[in-house]
Amino acid sequence: MLKKIHMHLILLLFCLITFKGFSQQKQSFYFNYNESEFTETEKQKIDAWLNLHPNLTVLKVEGFCDWVGNNQYNNDLSDKRIHTVLNYLKGKVTIDQAISTKSFGREFKQNEIQDLNRRVDVYFTYL
């Protein structure tokens, strides 16, 4: 009987880990030109997102800039944006101990619309 319970627990744990891996989602938060702090509108968006996903775990955070300015400045600004997001989320959600962060400057041009490049992408999962 104990072996059967043990097997069921192992199977349940496997399913939870597998489910967690498949439920990874991404949410983007945007910043104004040359800014690393949120606007009130973006804070409201984040709070609404947190209300929808109260049990989320942050796995990875990526910061982006537009291609105006030099690469070092943009990478530093991306880092500041990442820290702004993480500091805002601390205490409100679980942040994975093995969190991955990456900053992208002007070398990573993603979108022709500059405003869409001024963002932080948060990858998360929830149960």
Side-chain angles (χ1 to χ4, degrees):
M1 179 69 168
L2 192 55
K3 274 187 170 183
K4 193 172 191 176
I5 292 172
H6 184 71
M7 261 320 230
H8 282 127
L9 287 174
I10 290 173
L11 182 60
L12 177 62
L13 182 60
F14 174 76
C15 289
L16 286 174
I17 291 169
T18 302
F19 175 74
K20 183 176 178 180
F22 285 114
S23 67
Q24 181 173 317
Q25 310 246 344
K26 179 181 87 168
Q27 179 66 44
S28 298
F29 301 110
Y30 295 90
F31 293 82
N32 286 332
Y33 173 74
N34 207 28
E35 293 290 328
S36 62
E37 296 300 321
F38 297 126
T39 63
E40 276 306 309
T41 302
E42 207 61 21
K43 278 185 183 176
Q44 292 170 357
K45 178 181 168 184
I46 293 168
D47 290 337
W49 174 67
L50 292 172
N51 285 334
L52 284 175
H53 308 289
N55 298 317
L56 65 86
T57 298
V58 176
L59 304 172
K60 177 171 69 169
V61 181
E62 295 178 340
F64 298 87
C65 281
D66 56 33
W67 57 90
V68 176
N70 70 53
N71 204 42
Q72 184 61 49
Y73 180 83
N74 283 341
N75 280 335
D76 291 344
L77 183 57
S78 293
D79 281 341
K80 289 177 186 174
R81 290 173 175 172
I82 288 171
H83 290 292
T84 295
V85 170
L86 288 175
N87 286 337
Y88 192 78
L89 294 177
K90 275 185 187 165
K92 297 177 178 146
V93 300
T94 303
I95 298 177
D96 192 275
Q97 290 181 354
I99 188 170
S100 165
T101 61
K102 176 78 174 144
S103 297
F104 298 94
R106 74 182 286 155
E107 82 280 359
F108 195 78
K109 183 177 171 183
Q110 274 202 316
N111 198 304
E112 291 298 322
I113 301 170
Q114 296 260 31
D115 290 349
L116 298 179
N117 292 320
R118 300 177 191 126
R119 72 180 190 284
V120 168
D121 291 339
V122 177
Y123 295 84
F124 66 98
T125 188
Y126 54 91
L127 296 175

